[in-house]
Amino acid sequence: MKGYGEITKQIRNGKGYTQKHVSDNLLTQGAFSKFENNNTDINFATMREIINRLGITFEEFFYIQNDYQYSKRDDIITQFYRLTYNDEAVLRVLLDKCKQYLKEFKEDQQVVHISIILDGLIFLAKTGDFELAKKTVEPVWRDLSKRNQLYIADLYMLNAILFFFPLPTVLQIKQFALRHIALYGNFRHVSRLQINISMNIALLLMKDNKYSKAHREILNAIFLCKKEHDFILLSICYVRKGICLNHLSQSGEKWIRKGVNMLMTLEQFSLLEMVEEEIKQY
């Protein structure tokens, strides 16, 4: 990868900014020129202000530095965050990426945990054996449950392992997770995390024939989906809303049709197959 200074120079020139505009009251022009030519380093506070003056985020800076693509690590984490359904083929591809990455970076605990969760989800998809799958992911739960503070990556991992626990434990985990999510307010992507948690808990409640409570969770997820303009997840929510209403002696068919039609319109055909299996099951 190119050095920080070289990327700074690339972005600065691309925006038509002068060295003085970016370095004023931070560094002398000579020191800034040395930095751009990768002849010297600068401290974090100075780098943060330079990135602010360039009008970009740290995430975009590193994306550009990696030749306009995610690093292997960021690619793994981003794909893990985006998991919607436990599609075994998708899980296996992502697990393979984890294994390849961990050959080089064995001590990356976050990716180790993601690989353990993927192993558990694949085992569950193949066998349907919740107890053995739960044993696979227990090391992740033991680590997360000991922490005083959970961060975004931790919360996504916690959401991914909800299926491995009995419903009363899941509802306790939900409160534990929401306390930490509340700290993030409107932080980027946090609403999607709340949507995923509500959708997963709704499915677990449906499995336990608690359709009234599942319906409440789904209504919460629908509200957040609309707020985030997440129409793929909204489609799934509509289907689950319809299923719940059918079990509550109300007409849910129009919501099921609406969700299915949205997935067809969005050309989410593999997701549509999984949703149709869920409709048959319930």
Side-chain angles (χ1 to χ4, degrees):
M1 291 192 295
K2 295 177 181 178
Y4 294 169
E6 190 177 354
I7 295 300
T8 299
K9 184 176 183 179
Q10 176 184 323
I11 297 168
R12 179 181 63 76
N13 286 334
K15 292 201 171 213
Y17 295 162
T18 64
Q19 286 187 334
K20 184 176 185 336
H21 171 78
V22 179
S23 65
D24 195 35
N25 294 323
L26 281 175
L27 298 166
T28 65
Q29 195 164 337
F32 185 70
S33 181
K34 285 182 179 179
F35 166 66
E36 285 197 331
N37 290 316
N38 294 326
N39 292 324
T40 187
D41 290 328
I42 59 174
N43 64 40
F44 177 80
T46 303
M47 188 71 218
R48 181 176 61 185
E49 182 56 29
I50 286 171
I51 285 178
N52 285 341
R53 292 183 185 189
L54 291 172
I56 61 172
T57 63
F58 271 101
E59 183 179 15
E60 185 180 2
F61 184 90
F62 293 129
Y63 190 80
I64 295 168
Q65 187 193 27
N66 200 47
D67 198 23
Y68 288 88
Q69 58 187 337
Y70 283 120
S71 67
K72 290 178 182 178
R73 185 180 195 278
D74 286 342
D75 182 49
I76 288 167
I77 292 167
T78 301
Q79 287 192 44
F80 180 71
Y81 286 0
R82 289 176 180 168
L83 289 176
T84 303
Y85 254 81
N86 291 338
D87 183 325
E88 189 178 343
V90 172
L91 296 174
R92 286 190 180 282
V93 170
L94 186 52
L95 179 59
D96 187 59
K97 287 185 178 184
C98 289
K99 287 178 177 178
Q100 292 301 318
Y101 173 82
L102 290 170
K103 285 179 181 178
E104 189 174 355
F105 303 101
K106 296 177 183 177
E107 303 303 318
D108 192 324
Q109 197 61 33
Q110 187 174 341
V111 178
V112 168
H113 279 175
I114 288 173
S115 68
I116 290 171
I117 291 169
L118 293 171
D119 265 329
L121 291 172
I122 290 168
F123 182 82
L124 182 60
K126 281 181 66 176
T127 68
D129 190 327
F130 280 88
E131 283 306 310
L132 285 178
K134 180 183 173 184
K135 288 180 181 177
T136 303
V137 302
E138 273 179 351
V140 179
W141 169 240
R142 281 199 302 269
D143 181 51
L144 294 177
S145 63
K146 291 175 187 173
R147 299 188 185 183
N148 294 322
Q149 175 63 49
L150 296 181
Y151 299 93
I152 291 293
D154 304 325
L155 291 162
Y156 270 99
M157 286 191 278
L158 194 61
N159 176 57
I161 63 176
L162 285 177
F163 286 104
F164 300 106
F165 297 95
L167 189 55
T169 305
V170 168
L171 296 177
Q172 288 178 348
I173 291 173
K174 174 192 173 183
Q175 297 307 317
F176 177 59
L178 290 179
R179 285 199 301 272
H180 295 278
I181 289 172
L183 298 174
Y184 281 89
N186 294 319
F187 185 75
R188 181 172 47 87
H189 303 318
V190 80
S191 286
R192 183 181 173 88
L193 178 56
Q194 290 174 293
I195 293 166
N196 286 340
I197 289 173
S198 282
M199 289 179 68
N200 285 343
I201 288 175
L203 189 57
L204 290 168
L205 287 164
M206 287 161 63
K207 286 179 186 290
D208 207 42
N209 296 317
K210 292 181 169 58
Y211 288 98
S212 179
K213 290 181 178 179
H215 183 241
R216 287 199 294 272
E217 287 288 347
I218 285 297
L219 291 180
N220 180 55
I222 287 172
F223 170 79
L224 293 169
C225 284
K226 289 178 178 178
K227 179 182 172 184
E228 293 298 307
H229 302 108
D230 194 325
F231 300 111
I232 293 175
L233 293 184
L234 181 61
S235 306
I236 300 168
C237 285
Y238 281 155
V239 170
R240 289 184 183 169
K241 177 179 179 178
I243 291 169
C244 289
L245 289 174
N246 281 343
H247 282 274
L248 294 170
S249 301
Q250 300 179 48
S251 177
E253 293 304 319
K254 69 174 182 178
W255 294 104
I256 292 172
R257 284 197 304 273
K258 188 173 185 177
V260 167
N261 289 339
M262 284 173 66
L263 288 171
M264 290 178 68
T265 303
L266 294 166
E267 299 183 359
Q268 295 293 316
F269 300 119
S270 61
L271 200 52
L272 180 59
E273 286 180 18
M274 295 178 191
V275 165
E276 287 173 341
E277 284 298 316
E278 194 171 293
I279 294 167
K280 288 178 187 175
Q281 183 180 352
Y282 293 102

